[in-house]
Amino acid sequence: MTPAELAEVVLSAAHAVFVDRGLDPAALPGRTAVERPRNPEHGDYASTLALQLSKKVGVPPRELATALAEQLGRAPGVKSVEIAGPGFLNIRLDAAAAGQLARSIVEAGPAYGRSTTLAGQKINLEFVSANPTGPVHIGGVRWAALGDALGRLLRATGAQVGTEYYVNDAGSQIDRFAGSLLAALKGEPAPEGGYAGAYVAEIAAAVRDRRPDVTSLDDAAAQEVFRVEGVALMIDEIKSSLRDFGVDFDVYFSEKGLHERGELEHAVTRLREQGNIYEAEGAIWLRTSDFGDDKDRVLRKSNGEWTYFAADCAYYLDKRERGFDRVVMMLGADHHGYIGRMKAMAACFGDDPDANLEIMIGQMVNLVRDGQPVRMSKRAGTMVTLEDLVDAIGVDAARYALARYSSDSPIDIDVELWTRATRDNPVYYVQYAAARTANVGRNAAEVGLTRGDAEAFRPELLGHDKENELLKALAEFPAVVATAAELREPHRVARYLEELAGAYHRFYDNCRILPLGDEEVTDLHRARLWLNDATRTVIANGLRLLGVSAPERM
């Protein structure tokens, strides 16, 4: 019995109690939930339904809990119900009901853990969006891991998600990048505020190979070639790096395209229609201060140049006009002051900033080796890149390490820890559990042990304490996925997987799955193989949500 199924049993019992007592069943919620008690001695699951309904129906909570306990105790699969405190219900399942979960998980396969919790939501998820002026640095890599995991979680809970990388291919930074490429080709130092590192010379050489005529052009014409070709090559490299990291975007959106299609003018028109545009000192302003910003913002300067904020407005409007109900942006730690103006901008368009726009801020990441920060890339010169991180610890470890912590927590990634083949390396610990389940399956096949027909499965045999502990851990997975998606916290899945791996290892050490020697295969062996394979399913499903592999051998 899954927690969701038990919750339905609890609601059904409550409905029967209401009918018996002449209470209005309309007062019952559409759904309820059961939780796993922190103390296993308090039962398998707990419900607070009696406390929730007490005031609504005018019945003391403990009296209502007593009636619920009596009714619930007669339900199939419920072993006992105890009342605690003012009206908590502590529920124990019989072994057969608890064990049935193993079969449900195996039969559901990759679908176990998925839900329709966020069905009907259309979400645009923008992350990474590093400027195409250099390789993806370690801060951007954090968003790559977290953003991709969040996209997977949102889809797993029923949301319609579009993932997006905003390419800042317009503006002064691109001018400086093009100037740096030109300087590298001429063997000169980068201009002030320009870009350095071996990658600049590599891109410059690649542009020259693609456009040999660039060497015969004057500086202005050559710089324009570098602007177009250099940015294109840099974007291709970024895409390739992210793809190798397991991250593919639905859309790479060009800022330059916004300008070319006249979308900035369109955004100003829409904002003017809302009455939130005014002109002063020859510039066009947006009244963001009316909606909580610390000051109004310039959209177009008196010299006719558009501001970055104007492009932000146009980009936001473009997303909304593509039909996205909620725009989620994942930004770096240096963008914290950006939240107020963006929320105000959404309000200026007539949107509800809390419903239509969500901004997540990520903190810094350091790569540490021998207790000291790794501060420099051989190729990029001034930063640690995606390739540096992957070279140091591998894709799986990098994705897991970056997704394992809340986005608002600074983290240090210790190279020694994340490459260690020991249980204190979290990704190794979880992946070892996955490999161990697969190894059990291979060994079972060799001795002729199979799960057998589902109808012959004997779940009541799974009565050992460690079996019960593992079953309860497996039952939590759907709720963990739903909560992680709703709260935008992929790290909940990683921490859950570590707890599940621990429960599996304890089960493996205490409950023999395979027959010894010439021992006859029994229903208990088969039941435990169902539980082993259910664990394999959940670990694989959880790791897949993080973009991490579930190896069959280690």
Side-chain angles (χ1 to χ4, degrees):
M1 185 183 299
T2 67
E5 290 169 341
L6 177 58
E8 288 297 320
V9 171
V10 171
L11 266 183
S12 178
H15 187 277
V17 167
F18 272 44
V19 171
D20 288 346
R21 289 176 162 247
L23 301 173
D24 184 4
L28 292 170
R31 61 181 181 179
T32 188
V34 293
E35 299 176 351
R36 183 177 173 183
R38 293 183 180 179
N39 186 346
E41 294 180 1
H42 293 165
D44 297 325
Y45 296 99
S47 171
T48 59
L49 187 60
L51 295 170
Q52 297 170 27
L53 295 173
S54 174
K55 287 185 178 179
K56 187 181 290 187
V57 297
V59 178
R62 195 167 177 90
E63 179 183 333
L64 188 57
T66 299
L68 275 172
E70 291 176 358
Q71 183 67 37
L72 190 56
R74 294 192 285 270
V78 175
K79 182 179 179 180
S80 65
V81 184
E82 298 173 356
I83 303 168
F88 295 101
L89 296 174
N90 290 333
I91 306 165
R92 285 181 171 82
L93 302 180
D94 62 38
Q100 284 287 359
L101 178 67
R103 183 173 66 183
S104 298
I105 292 172
V106 172
E107 291 177 341
Y112 183 69
R114 303 181 72 88
S115 69
T116 57
T117 306
L118 300 182
Q121 295 192 25
K122 189 173 182 183
I123 300 173
N124 180 280
L125 179 61
E126 180 203 338
F127 56 101
V128 184
S129 296
N131 291 328
T133 54
V136 180
H137 60 81
I138 195 168
V141 183
R142 182 177 196 178
W143 278 137
L146 277 173
D148 188 63
L150 180 55
R152 293 166 186 248
L153 280 165
L154 293 171
R155 288 182 176 121
T157 48
Q160 185 178 344
V161 181
T163 58
E164 200 147 310
Y165 185 119
Y166 184 49
V167 181
N168 298 101
D169 53 359
S172 58
Q173 290 183 341
I174 297 300
D175 292 337
R176 289 194 291 271
F177 179 58
S180 301
L181 294 175
L182 176 60
L185 183 69
K186 296 166 68 175
E188 299 174 355
E192 184 177 355
Y195 298 87
Y199 80 92
V200 176
E202 292 171 10
I203 295 290
V207 172
R208 181 194 59 207
D209 292 343
R210 181 182 286 190
R211 289 283 305 273
D213 63 312
V214 73
T215 57
S216 61
L217 301 175
D218 61 47
D219 283 357
Q223 181 154 330
E224 183 59 28
V225 170
F226 279 117
R227 176 199 299 276
V228 175
E229 301 290 348
V231 168
L233 287 168
M234 196 71 253
I235 291 172
D236 286 344
E237 180 176 321
I238 289 171
K239 289 180 180 179
S240 177
S241 296
L242 290 169
R243 191 175 301 115
D244 290 343
F245 195 58
V247 178
D248 284 297
F249 288 88
D250 297 322
V251 173
Y252 280 86
F253 192 100
S254 166
E255 178 189 356
K256 186 178 178 183
L258 283 173
H259 290 265
E260 293 173 344
R261 292 188 299 272
E263 292 198 41
L264 278 73
E265 290 87 348
H266 173 59
V268 168
T269 298
R270 285 290 302 276
L271 291 165
R272 196 183 300 277
E273 290 170 354
Q274 294 290 326
N276 294 316
I277 289 287
Y278 68 94
E279 297 185 16
E281 302 173 357
I284 298 175
W285 296 73
L286 183 61
R287 300 182 191 276
T288 51
S289 63
D290 287 355
F291 300 94
D293 195 7
D294 58 348
K295 61 181 180 181
D296 291 342
R297 303 288 171 174
V298 176
L299 298 181
R300 195 165 199 167
K301 302 176 185 177
S302 57
N303 63 5
E305 291 181 2
W306 292 104
T307 63
Y308 282 116
F309 188 61
D312 291 335
C313 294
Y315 185 37
Y316 172 81
L317 180 60
D318 182 276
K319 292 176 179 180
R320 293 284 286 121
E321 290 186 337
R322 278 185 276 149
F324 291 104
D325 306 311
R326 192 169 186 86
V327 173
V328 179
M329 303 172 63
M330 307 177 82
L331 305 176
D334 56 342
H335 285 75
H336 199 278
Y338 203 63
I339 297 175
R341 77 186 71 169
M342 290 298 290
K343 290 283 189 179
M345 174 266 291
C348 287
F349 276 116
D351 285 349
D352 179 347
D354 293 328
N356 300 122
L357 178 62
E358 181 178 344
I359 299 177
M360 300 173 61
I361 300 294
Q363 294 302 316
M364 300 297 292
V365 184
N366 293 307
L367 185 63
V368 177
R369 180 183 284 114
D370 298 325
Q372 298 297 320
V374 177
R375 297 187 181 278
M376 190 172 294
S377 165
K378 292 180 180 178
R379 183 165 180 260
T382 57
M383 60 184 176
V384 176
T385 68
L386 188 159
E387 285 78 8
D388 296 325
L389 179 61
V390 170
D391 287 346
I393 65 174
V395 171
D396 276 351
R399 289 193 62 132
Y400 193 98
L402 291 165
R404 186 175 183 263
Y405 301 92
S406 173
S407 62
D408 57 8
S409 300
I411 55 176
D412 290 333
I413 298 179
D414 188 329
V415 173
E416 295 172 335
L417 169 65
W418 289 97
T419 55
R420 196 177 296 156
T422 58
R423 64 177 298 157
D424 58 343
N425 175 352
V427 70
Y428 178 86
Y429 187 60
V430 174
Q431 288 186 317
Y432 181 68
R436 190 176 233 185
T437 61
N439 187 56
V440 167
R442 287 191 297 271
N443 291 338
E446 289 178 5
V447 300
L449 170 61
T450 65
R451 293 194 304 263
D453 189 279
E455 297 305 317
F457 173 48
R458 299 280 304 282
E460 70 274 11
L461 298 177
L462 298 175
H464 192 283
D465 286 348
K466 300 307 177 186
E467 293 166 341
N468 186 258
E469 177 188 351
L470 179 54
L471 284 163
K472 285 193 286 187
L474 293 170
E476 288 183 28
F477 183 58
V480 169
V481 173
T483 302
E486 185 176 358
L487 299 181
R488 318 299 195 235
E489 295 181 343
H491 69 273
R492 290 175 177 268
V493 175
R495 298 307 176 105
Y496 162 80
L497 289 173
E498 291 162 36
E499 292 180 8
L500 177 60
Y504 176 76
H505 290 312
R506 290 188 290 274
F507 157 72
Y508 181 91
D509 292 340
N510 289 275
C511 303
R512 171 159 286 280
I513 303 171
L514 304 178
L516 279 174
D518 295 331
E519 183 183 357
E520 182 181 350
V521 172
T522 67
D523 286 341
L524 178 58
H525 294 126
R526 283 186 280 269
R528 286 176 172 171
L529 186 57
W530 277 94
L531 184 51
N532 175 84
D533 293 356
T535 306
R536 168 88 189 161
T537 296
V538 174
I539 292 177
N541 290 356
L543 286 174
R544 190 179 302 114
L545 290 171
L546 301 178
V548 177
S549 68
E552 295 194 355
R553 289 180 170 85
M554 289 186 72

